[in-house]
């Protein structure tokens, strides 16, 4: 992209020379403009009182004149800039980039006494460039230093240059922290967006007519990296001539805030802080425009319809804000990136917001076992109430465990706030005492047979805890003497107790290998 020299005389006077024909595709610029950089940069006087210092001369070149020679200045006593002072004249002229890629824009000037600034910072030299997106505007002012100068002296050099070059894609994120200004061109408000850092934006709108709307463009401010971004903020029913709003994004709670908590336990994605410099009743409503990476939503199995927004109240709680998914046809009409899903949320309150995803949250609220005592080989029923307390529908496998070991599982599908009752009907073949639970919620202790009986045989023996394979009590009694002798040699006998799953597996290892698929708990056939 090319650059063009502009004359600069300061009592104060700056004149642009050698303008190009205006590019036909730049409909974003309304009204006459001086153009440079192959027509991709359009320079115009800014809206507001300081815009009178800039005008297009007879050759359609931008002229900036802070002196008595300025035809826009009607005060005959005005002579120019005071001597031995420093100061700043903001919002003098605008530079609008009309190309179709990002561009770095800066101004070259050899004067010690005049500095071109945007958002209070110098934009002189390539190192101080501002990065503009297609159809984006930066408003430029002047910082003046007349110390040591005599009245009538020329402050500036004879020329200054407006320069630009295409920004490489990898440079955009690192450099998109300048200032951009957009004017409607039809007498509407002028909006300025400053990017102190990648995840912060400072919005200012001036010249707002009472009851009008203001549209700020954030151009993808990260909330959670590029997974979720702020695309812009729209204000409706603005009654102030000027409004200021600062936005900041973070993937984690802000230091002076708190983490999102809500009864439905949504999954926080990121946090957005909005601080405003106007009374709450000065704006009727605010629409927050967000976008999420489509691949990120797929990878996290997040349905776009389950993306929502929560606002932190003055009391520190969180309340949900309705979120609308932008229709794909609208995305196409507006030319929004199709690899992202776009959202809108409208609220009447400014605060800290949390972007979150509604998820199903399954809880077993009650579990029972009946009967609580059975003989080996009999049936037992375990019932459980399951509730989806989350904000999204879903399904989940709910598991019955005995002494922590999985016995059976049922899959249940529930809508938000819906409950269901599950019933597990099992046959227990081994004597013992079993702590039963469903989804981690205790259902009670099941007694099978006589867990405290004589392990050597007789009534209450655990000899039939074999899964019902037909082995009789007599078989176990026939080895009574050998068992007693072995117990005598091995030392004191342990206190009798219920046979847990692990213990039973050790006692009947050979049988388990021979009879694959044999279970202590067997499912009852369902009719």
């Amino acid at each position: 992209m090319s650059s063009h020299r502009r004359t600069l005389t300061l009592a104060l006077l700056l004149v642009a020379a050698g303008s190009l024909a205006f590019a036909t595709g730049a409909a974003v610029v309304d009204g006459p403009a001086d153009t440079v950089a192959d027509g991709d940069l359009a320079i115009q006087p800014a809206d507001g009182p300081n815009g009178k210092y800039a005008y297009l001369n007879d050759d359609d070149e931008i002229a900036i004149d802070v002196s008595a020679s300025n035809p826009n200045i009607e005060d005959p006593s005005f002579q120019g800039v005071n001597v031995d002072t420093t100061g700043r004249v903001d919002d003098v002229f605008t530079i609008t980039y009309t190309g179709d890629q990002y561009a770095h824009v800066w101004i070259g000037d050899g004067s010690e006494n005049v500095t071109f600034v945007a958002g209070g910072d110098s934009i002189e030299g390539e190192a101080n460039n501002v990065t503009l997106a297609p159809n984006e505007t930066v408003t430029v002012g002047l910082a003046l230093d007349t110390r040591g100068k005599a009245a009538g002296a020329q402050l500036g050099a004879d020329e200054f240059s407006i320069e630009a070059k295409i920004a490489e894609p990898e440079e955009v994120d690192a450099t998109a922290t300048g200032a951009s200004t957009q004017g409607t061109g039809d007498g509407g408000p002028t909006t300025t967006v400053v990017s102190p850092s990648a995840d912060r934006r400072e919005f200012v709108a001036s010249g707002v007519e009472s009851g009008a709307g203001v549209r700020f463009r954030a151009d993808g401010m990260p909330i959670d990296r590029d997974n979720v971004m702020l695309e812009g903020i729209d204000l409706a029913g603005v009654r102030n001539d000027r409004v200021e709003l600062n936005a900041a994004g973070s993937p984690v709670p802000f230091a002076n805030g708190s983490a999102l908590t809500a009864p439905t336990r949504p999954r926080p994605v990121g946090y957005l802080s909005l601080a405003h410099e106007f009374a709450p009743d000065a704006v009727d409503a605010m629409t927050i425009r967000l976008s999420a990476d489509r691949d990120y939503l797929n990878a996290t199995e997040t349905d776009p319809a389950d993306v929502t927004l929560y606002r932190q109240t003055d009391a520190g709680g969180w309340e949900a804000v309705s979120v609308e998914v932008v229709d794909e046809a609208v995305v196409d009409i507006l030319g929004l990136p199709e690899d992202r899903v776009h959202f809108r949320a409208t609220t009447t309150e400014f605060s800290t917001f949390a972007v979150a995803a509604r998820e199903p949250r399954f809880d077993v609220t009650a579990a029972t076992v009946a009967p609580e005592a059975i003989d080996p080989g009999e049936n037992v029923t375990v019932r459980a109430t399951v509730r989806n307390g989350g904000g999204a529908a879903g399904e989940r496998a709910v598991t019955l465990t005995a002494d922590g070991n999985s016995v059976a599982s049922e899959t249940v599908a529930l809508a938000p706030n819906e409950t269901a009752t599950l019933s597990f009907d099992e046959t227990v073949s081994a004597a013992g005492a079993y702590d039963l639970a469903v989804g981690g919620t205790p259902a009670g202790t099941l007694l099978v047979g006589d867990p405290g009986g004589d392990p050597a045989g007789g009534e209450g023996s655990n000899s039939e805890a074999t899964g019902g394979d037909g082995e009789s009590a007599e078989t176990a009694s026939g080895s009574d003497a050998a068992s007693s002798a072995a117990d005598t040699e091995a030392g004191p006998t342990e206190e009798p107790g219920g046979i847990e799953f692990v213990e039973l597996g050790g006692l009947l290892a050979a049988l388990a290998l021979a009879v694959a698929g044999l279970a202590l708990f067997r499912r009852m056939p369902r009719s």
Side-chain angles (χ1 to χ4, degrees):
M1 300 177 70
S2 60
S3 65
H4 289 261
R5 306 297 297 181
R6 294 294 181 269
T7 62
L8 166 61
T9 59
L10 282 181
L12 191 76
L13 174 67
L14 301 99
V15 179
S19 62
L20 304 176
F22 188 69
T24 57
V28 68
V29 177
D30 184 35
D34 183 12
T35 57
V36 299
D38 300 325
D40 286 339
L41 295 179
I43 302 94
Q44 296 177 296
D47 292 334
N50 289 344
K52 67 184 179 182
Y53 297 122
Y55 60 94
L56 297 180
N57 62 18
D58 293 338
D59 296 322
D60 288 329
E61 301 166 349
I62 191 74
I64 302 169
D65 187 353
V66 189
S67 74
S69 63
N70 188 328
N72 293 332
I73 299 176
E74 299 177 352
D75 183 0
S77 64
F78 182 82
Q79 296 298 318
V81 181
N82 292 330
V83 298
D84 291 323
T85 62
T86 61
R88 202 170 70 200
V89 183
D90 291 325
D91 303 338
V92 175
F93 66 99
T94 63
I95 303 173
T96 300
Y97 173 61
T98 62
D100 55 5
Q101 302 180 62
Y102 281 85
H104 300 317
V105 179
W106 66 94
I107 291 178
D109 173 39
S111 172
E112 298 178 350
N113 305 104
V114 181
T115 302
F116 292 87
V117 295
D121 296 324
S122 170
I123 58 168
E124 292 188 357
E126 184 174 359
N128 296 318
N129 73 82
V130 293
T131 301
L132 300 182
N135 299 332
E136 198 166 24
T137 301
V138 59
T139 296
V140 182
L142 305 170
L144 308 175
D145 185 353
T146 65
R147 290 173 296 184
K149 297 294 180 180
Q154 176 177 315
L155 298 182
D158 290 337
E159 292 182 326
F160 72 98
S161 62
I162 302 173
E163 305 182 40
K165 73 174 185 178
I166 296 297
E168 298 298 329
E170 62 270 17
E171 297 176 326
V172 171
D173 288 342
T175 60
T177 58
S180 65
T181 300
Q182 299 169 338
T184 62
D186 57 0
T190 297
T191 60
T192 301
V193 181
V194 179
S195 304
S197 62
D199 56 0
R200 291 176 56 203
R201 297 290 186 273
E202 296 175 358
F203 304 110
V204 179
S206 59
V208 184
E209 293 185 5
S210 180
V214 174
R215 184 176 181 87
F216 292 118
R217 193 169 67 198
D219 292 328
M221 184 192 82
I223 293 176
D224 176 23
R225 300 178 295 278
D226 62 350
N227 295 331
V228 179
M229 291 181 165
L230 174 68
E231 298 296 342
I233 293 176
D234 301 335
L235 304 180
V238 180
R239 283 176 288 279
N240 282 7
D241 174 73
R242 177 185 176 90
V243 290
E244 297 183 19
L245 178 66
N246 295 336
S250 173
V252 298
F254 293 103
N256 59 348
S258 59
L260 170 64
T261 57
T264 57
R265 292 179 287 169
R267 172 171 55 87
V269 176
Y271 294 81
L272 171 65
S273 173
L274 296 178
H276 56 89
E277 299 294 333
F278 49 85
D281 59 359
V283 174
D284 286 343
M286 171 180 64
T287 297
I288 301 172
R289 291 180 281 118
L290 305 165
S291 73
D293 180 69
R294 196 176 296 275
D295 291 339
Y296 165 76
L297 295 179
N298 293 336
T300 56
E301 298 181 351
T302 302
D303 188 328
D306 291 330
V307 173
T308 189
L309 195 68
Y310 285 82
R311 186 187 73 85
Q312 191 169 30
T313 66
D314 293 340
W318 295 87
E319 61 181 19
V321 178
S322 178
V323 173
E324 170 194 4
V325 180
V326 179
D327 186 85
E328 291 185 0
V330 177
V331 170
D332 182 60
I333 292 172
L334 297 178
L336 301 175
E338 296 182 358
D339 60 343
R340 302 188 69 80
V341 180
H342 299 265
F343 306 89
R344 290 174 180 161
T346 300
T347 177
T348 58
E349 312 242 16
F350 295 78
S351 179
T352 295
F353 296 85
V355 183
R358 290 187 291 260
E359 294 183 328
R361 301 285 182 176
F362 284 76
D363 295 301
V364 177
T365 58
T368 60
V369 56
E372 296 180 347
I374 61 173
D375 289 328
E378 289 185 346
N379 181 56
V380 65
T381 299
V382 180
R383 289 186 172 85
T385 300
V386 183
R387 178 179 181 271
N388 179 7
E395 65 177 33
R396 180 152 312 168
V398 181
T399 302
L400 168 66
T401 60
D403 294 340
N405 299 301
S406 177
V407 171
S409 182
E410 289 281 358
T411 298
V412 59
L414 296 174
N417 296 319
E418 187 178 10
T419 61
T421 299
L422 302 183
S423 180
F424 298 90
D425 296 319
E426 310 295 331
T427 298
V428 188
S429 58
Y434 302 100
D435 291 329
L436 304 181
V438 180
T441 299
T445 299
L446 173 65
L447 299 178
V448 182
D450 183 8
D454 182 3
E459 188 177 354
S461 170
N462 286 331
S463 59
E464 291 185 358
T466 60
D469 63 348
E471 187 175 3
S472 66
E474 183 179 355
T475 303
S477 299
S479 61
D480 192 29
S483 298
S484 298
D487 289 345
T488 301
E489 293 177 1
T493 304
E494 293 183 359
E495 287 291 324
I499 300 178
E500 297 181 357
F501 283 117
V502 176
E503 296 169 346
L504 187 65
L507 293 173
L508 301 178
L511 181 61
L513 291 173
V515 188
L518 187 63
L520 300 178
F521 279 67
R522 286 203 297 258
R523 303 305 303 269
M524 291 291 290
R526 297 183 182 272
S527 58

